[in-house]
Structures are given as C-alpha cells and as structure tokens.
Amino acid sequence: MYKILVVDDEKLIRNGIISKIKYHKFSFDEILQSHDGIDAVEKIKNNHIDIVIADIRMPGLNGLEMIKLAKTIKPEIKFIIISGYAEFEYAKQAINIGAIGYILKPIGDNELVDMLNKAIYQLDKENNLLEISSRNSELKKYCQTIECEQRLNQIFHQIKVTKSSIPDEKIIAIPEEFDCFLSIIHIDHASYTTSLFNERDTELMKFAIINILDEYMDQYKKIIANNNKNKNQLFMLIIYPAKDVSNAEINNLLSKIHHVLKYYLEISITIGISQPSESVSNNLYTQAKQALDMRIIYGNDKIYQYGNVPTMENISLPYNQLNLLKNCIGNFDIDNTLPLLKQIFSKENIQGKSAEFIYFLWLEIINMIIKVFPDSINTINKNIDISLMSREILDKFDNIDEIISYLYTTIADIMDIQKPLDTNCKDRIILIQEYIENHFQDDLSVNEIAYSFAINPNYLSTIFKEETGKTVIDYITATRMKNACMLLSKTKARVTDISKSIGYNDPQYFFRVFKKNIGMTPLEYREKHFDKV
C-alpha cells in the first residue's frame, strides 16, 4: 500500500485531515505529518512517500517551492494542494508544476475523498505499467539467455547454426586484447548419493552453483549456460583482459570457487578448463572436455587443466589382454571375464594416460562384443541414452570401476549365465532387498550390489525402482533409518556409536540424513520414543 504525508502549519487542520482519511477507511500503510515545507522535504527524503496533501501557504518554504524541490527527489509523488480563494492563482501554478489537483478551504469530505481516489488510481496505474515493463524486461533477458545458451551449444557441439535474432558479436565476440577460456563444471554422480540432494534436484543444484559463480566471479565478464547434452554440466565462458589478468589469477579464483561450492552445497564438483583463446570455438570445448575426462582416471572433485592432459603419441593398447578377453567372451567364460577387465583397466595400464586412452579401450571392447554377438547391440545399449561410440559416453561414468562394472554385467547379460532378469525380476529384487537388510552397515553402493548379482548398475536402478517404488540408495537409507530408530528407542548407546553401527562414519552427516527422513534429530527421537520399560 501507500504512504501519505499531510503538510500544514496549523496542527488543528492537519489533525482534521487525518481524521477524515481514517473516517473514510483509506488503508494507507502510514500517515505522516509535517508542520512546514522544509520538514516535509526532509520526510520525503527519508521515507517512501507516495501522496502529499499540502497547504499552499506556509512559512519558510511554501507549497509551490516544496513541490519543485520534492519533485527533484521523487518525481512520482502525487501532490494535492489546499488553498483558499485568495490563493487560487497559486493553485493553478501548482497544477502546472505537477500537482494532480487542489481542494479549496474549508475542506469538504467529498472533495478530499475524490482527490485521494484520483491519486490512488494514478499510482495504481503507474505501478501496473512498471510491473508490466519489468516483466517484459525480464522476459527479454530470459529469451536472450536461452538464445545465448543455444548458440554456445551450437558452437561447442558443432551443430548447424540457425537464424538468430541476436548477432554473433552480441554473444560470443571477444574484444581485442581480451582472451577467453571455457570451464565445464560437472556435478559428479556421487553428489546424489553422499549429499542431501538427489537427481530430482539437479536444476536446483545448478541454480545454486550459478548464484555462487555470479557472486565470486563478478569482476569478469562471463557467460554461464547449460550443456544441453549433459544435464549435470554447466559451461562457464570467462572473458578477461589478457594483459591485466594472468591465467594463474583465474585458476586460483576457480580453486576458491571449487572450495566454496563444496563448503556451502556439500556436493562433489569436477571442473575441466581449456587453454586461453582469442575466440570462441569448438576447440575450447574439446580441450575443456578432455581435461574434465581426466577424472575417470584420477578421481572426481578436482580441477583439471588441458595443459596437463597427457598426449596420445606412442601409446598402444594392451592387445594381448584384449585378445584374451575376446576369447573369454566367445567361449562364454564369465569367470575369467571380470579379472581380465580389471587387468585391462589396471593402474599399470592407465596411469599417465589420458581419457582418450580409456575411450579407445571402450571402443575396442564394445566392437569386440558386437563382433562376437552381432545381435547384442540392444542389450549393450539398453541403459545408455547416447551412442555407444560417442565421445560423450565417458560422461555416463564417474570412474574406472563403473566402466568395468557396466562392461562386465552387460557381458553377463548377453551370455545369459542365469535366467533372464526380466522373467524373474521380482525374485531377484527380493534377494537384493535381503542382501541390503543383511549388509546395510557396510559401505554399500549400486555398483557393489550390481557386481554381486551380475546386473548392469543402471538396469538395476531402473527395475528396483519399478518393483519397490524406491531407488536403491533410498532403500539403503530407509533400512538404516529403521535400524537407527530401533537402536535409539531400545538402547542407551551413544548416537555416534549408532551412526557407525548402521554405516555412517560421519555423525554430522547421519544427523542431517536422520532429520531429513524422520523429521527430527536423533536425540529428539530418543526423547520421544525411548522405551523406559
């Protein structure tokens, strides 16, 4: 609502006007009053005044002078002038300099009500126009952001450029004596299992990341956009004056941001950084992607720079081991398949290599499976939503163990060493539930369970959710919470000991998970449910 200021050098008149305003039930947020024009201007400076009712004649600073001065402070104020017949010429002057009308003395209720309604109507109309203008501005900014995101994705993924309403130079041109580099910010899969977030919160996580980037990178021009090929990734293109800012300064800032993201969001983030460039091109993306993929070999939750990516020169694949694997697959020898996969992807083979080496190993094994089992392509690809031969395939995995798990369980599915999973789905899920019930205190993961039952991890996640209504991780958490509640209500064991006994080595993390799932802290639960009998 609005605030109104009543200005008159006679207190009796001021009180009379205020009484009339209240009597006619105008719902102003606040009604202020001033005894002269000078005090009125001070109140306008220090308060958000919307309407001023002022006498034309006042000592010190009259009504006309007050309006002129107040208009320089807040032009949108609506002024209503009070005048007698003798000051009628002054009242006309007041209208000429911005007053919306005048009321002749003695002040009648109808005239006052009409004039206030007029002022309120004008304020409402102006505010509605401002709101519409603001919405249009926000919509325009949003559309520009979306188009900018599309253009960057077109460049980085080499997609054919369509006609755009925004010229290239408005989006991606780098000024002279400026450089740019690309950072790919990747939300690691571990963030969905070791934090309070889950996969439904991806957009929320990215929104939080963007806010932190805006706060800590405000000294540089930057473009932040979604990677349209990977929902877990953001692009951040940083543009900076090359002669004034060193690469080391920006790298240090990114290290600080990485630390801040971990501290505030408690999630695992990996960042791949390209080399500096004078222009925006697909080469920036290729470099940043190759840097990011180093996480497959050397671990997540780190920052990788393209300058540190090993080259592929004089690197040969372990063909002897690959040929042995091919023989195992052809002979349905599942027992030796997993050991061979672990040898192929062993530290001895991959240490000092780039992610390109891992990608070539992947291609060799996938092609090998297809050659041995030509009809197996649907089985291999059933849980991967991009081409098996795409360079982006590595985004589906966080580490070497996940690649080994996927290949092993896929080969096991193809060999059909047990009954087809789809025909005996419920029985298999029951066995997995029993396994979780008996091992919930261990460091369980989807991959570890998938290994135990020779099931593809992604496929396991899908069928488990279909059969139980919960993800594997949610089921493990629910089992742990059930046992935690039992121990809290039936024993006097310390909460830290209970935390460790159900699989949480970090008591603070246990506290957060417990409160999120149960709705109260462990101590509150014990106080409410402890069995004193």
Side-chain angles (χ1 to χ4, degrees):
M1 287 302 296
Y2 303 119
K3 290 184 180 181
I4 187 169
L5 173 65
V6 178
V7 189
D8 199 292
D9 56 331
E10 294 187 30
K11 185 176 182 179
L12 188 62
I13 293 177
R14 294 199 305 272
N15 290 340
I17 294 172
I18 292 171
S19 295
K20 291 177 185 292
I21 292 172
K22 291 180 178 179
Y23 175 78
H24 289 284
K25 297 181 179 178
F26 284 98
S27 54
F28 293 113
D29 276 350
E30 190 176 359
I31 302 175
L32 296 88
Q33 52 180 305
S34 290
H35 58 278
D36 59 34
I38 296 174
D39 182 63
V41 171
E42 283 301 311
K43 281 191 168 60
I44 289 169
K45 284 181 181 178
N46 299 319
N47 297 274
H48 187 82
I49 305 296
D50 300 289
I51 301 172
V52 175
I53 300 177
D55 193 357
I56 201 76
R57 281 189 178 276
M58 290 182 292
L61 193 69
N62 66 35
L64 292 178
E65 294 167 334
M66 183 203 69
I67 292 174
K68 290 178 182 178
L69 190 53
K71 281 285 185 181
T72 65
I73 301 169
K74 190 181 179 187
E76 62 271 26
I77 289 179
K78 307 305 171 190
F79 289 93
I80 300 169
I81 293 300
I82 302 171
S83 69
Y85 285 106
E87 300 97 24
F88 187 67
E89 286 301 318
Y90 288 114
K92 288 195 293 184
Q93 290 181 42
I95 291 174
N96 289 335
I97 61 172
I100 65 168
Y102 62 88
I103 303 173
L104 292 175
K105 297 177 181 176
I107 301 170
D109 284 24
N110 291 339
E111 291 81 359
L112 177 64
V113 168
D114 289 345
M115 200 56 65
L116 286 174
N117 283 332
K118 180 180 179 181
I120 292 169
Y121 172 78
Q122 290 187 8
L123 287 169
D124 287 344
K125 185 177 180 180
E126 289 171 7
N127 286 336
N128 287 337
L129 289 173
L130 283 173
E131 186 177 347
I132 292 170
S133 175
S134 176
R135 287 179 180 177
N136 287 339
S137 177
E138 288 177 7
L139 181 59
K140 183 178 179 181
K141 184 178 178 181
Y142 174 75
C143 291
Q144 289 175 342
T145 300
I146 295 300
E147 185 154 9
C148 178
E149 183 173 286
Q150 290 175 343
R151 298 293 293 283
L152 283 177
N153 275 274
Q154 287 170 342
I155 292 169
F156 293 152
H157 298 308
Q158 294 186 313
I159 301 170
K160 185 177 178 181
V161 177
T162 56
K163 187 176 180 181
S164 171
S165 61
I166 306 176
D168 285 349
E169 60 270 17
K170 294 287 187 180
I171 298 178
I172 54 176
I174 308 300
E176 288 188 18
E177 300 184 356
F178 275 67
D179 279 349
C180 67
F181 71 84
L182 176 66
S183 296
I184 301 178
I185 300 167
H186 179 83
I187 302 173
D188 300 325
H189 299 160
S191 296
Y192 301 120
T193 58
T194 61
S195 74
L196 294 181
F197 295 99
N198 57 48
E199 293 198 33
R200 295 188 300 273
D201 300 323
T202 303
E203 294 305 317
L204 176 62
M205 292 166 73
K206 289 195 288 188
F207 177 77
I209 290 170
I210 291 171
N211 284 338
I212 291 174
L213 293 174
D214 282 338
E215 180 177 350
Y216 284 88
M217 298 290 292
D218 62 343
Q219 67 268 53
Y220 301 112
K221 180 182 178 182
K222 60 188 178 300
I223 300 173
I224 303 173
N226 287 300
N227 179 359
N228 291 341
K229 285 195 172 183
N230 191 316
K231 68 174 185 178
N232 294 306
Q233 292 180 0
L234 289 168
F235 295 137
M236 180 168 66
L237 184 72
I238 299 177
I239 304 167
Y240 61 98
K243 65 178 181 179
D244 297 329
V245 180
S246 68
N247 296 336
E249 286 180 69
I250 295 182
N251 289 336
N252 288 336
L253 184 56
L254 283 172
S255 295
K256 179 181 178 181
I257 289 173
H258 185 260
H259 174 76
V260 169
L261 289 171
K262 282 176 59 67
Y263 180 81
Y264 285 108
L265 302 182
E266 299 182 1
I267 58 177
S268 178
I269 295 286
T270 303
I271 301 176
I273 305 173
S274 73
Q275 288 185 318
S277 172
E278 295 179 354
S279 61
V280 180
S281 67
N282 169 260
N283 193 46
L284 277 181
Y285 173 73
T286 300
Q287 291 180 357
K289 182 71 170 63
Q290 288 182 15
L292 178 68
D293 285 344
M294 294 288 287
R295 67 195 176 86
I296 298 292
I297 301 175
Y298 301 103
N300 294 306
D301 207 18
K302 298 177 182 178
I303 297 177
Y304 294 101
Q305 299 183 23
Y306 177 74
N308 297 327
V309 175
T311 64
M312 281 292 292
E313 294 180 7
N314 302 321
I315 293 178
S316 60
L317 299 179
Y319 286 107
N320 289 338
Q321 294 168 349
L322 288 168
N323 287 331
L324 287 173
L325 178 64
K326 183 178 180 180
N327 291 335
C328 283
I329 295 174
N331 295 325
F332 285 75
D333 183 3
I334 192 62
D335 292 336
N336 287 310
T337 297
L338 182 58
L340 270 172
L341 284 169
K342 289 184 176 181
Q343 285 180 31
I344 291 168
F345 289 98
S346 65
K347 284 186 178 180
E348 182 182 358
N349 281 349
I350 68 174
Q351 201 66 28
K353 307 293 197 306
S354 70
E356 288 295 302
F357 181 77
I358 304 300
Y359 176 57
F360 289 147
L361 282 178
W362 167 272
L363 290 180
E364 283 288 328
I365 296 171
I366 293 298
N367 283 321
M368 177 192 304
I369 296 171
I370 294 172
K371 285 180 182 178
V372 176
F373 300 108
D375 297 328
S376 66
I377 185 65
N378 290 333
T379 303
I380 303 173
N381 201 35
K382 64 185 175 185
N383 295 303
I384 295 288
D385 55 6
I386 61 174
S387 169
L388 287 165
M389 307 306 176
S390 167
R391 183 63 177 74
E392 313 295 328
I393 193 70
L394 294 185
D395 286 341
K396 294 296 178 180
F397 307 102
D398 261 3
N399 51 54
I400 294 297
D401 285 342
E402 289 185 4
I403 293 176
I404 294 172
S405 174
Y406 181 88
L407 291 171
Y408 168 66
T409 54
T410 299
I411 292 169
D413 283 349
I414 293 170
M415 290 182 178
D416 197 20
I417 59 172
Q418 299 184 37
K419 292 181 180 179
L421 185 62
D422 292 337
T423 63
N424 201 20
C425 185
K426 290 185 179 180
D427 291 342
R428 189 69 65 85
I429 294 302
I430 290 171
L431 290 174
I432 292 172
Q433 287 176 300
E434 291 177 355
Y435 181 85
I436 293 172
E437 293 284 350
N438 294 325
H439 296 85
F440 66 86
Q441 67 274 17
D442 298 335
D443 186 17
L444 290 181
S445 68
V446 176
N447 285 341
E448 190 270 335
I449 295 171
Y451 268 136
S452 300
F453 288 86
I455 305 173
N456 181 282
N458 292 330
Y459 191 40
L460 169 60
S461 298
T462 300
I463 63 170
F464 194 93
K465 180 71 177 292
E466 289 176 356
E467 290 295 325
T468 69
K470 294 181 180 179
T471 66
V472 177
I473 297 301
D474 285 345
Y475 191 86
I476 294 170
T477 300
T479 303
R480 287 172 171 171
M481 292 300 102
K482 179 180 70 175
N483 282 272
C485 290
M486 183 274 293
L487 291 170
L488 286 166
S489 63
K490 300 293 184 183
T491 75
K492 293 184 179 180
R494 295 187 309 168
V495 174
T496 53
D497 293 335
I498 292 175
S499 170
K500 292 178 181 179
S501 73
I502 63 169
Y504 295 107
N505 290 323
D506 183 353
Q508 291 184 345
Y509 180 64
F510 166 64
F511 267 68
R512 293 196 300 272
V513 174
F514 191 93
K515 186 170 183 181
K516 179 182 178 182
N517 286 272
I518 306 301
M520 61 184 78
T521 67
L523 294 176
E524 289 171 341
Y525 184 89
R526 169 170 277 170
E527 183 177 348
K528 186 174 181 180
H529 296 280
F530 187 71
D531 187 353
K532 298 179 181 179
V533 180

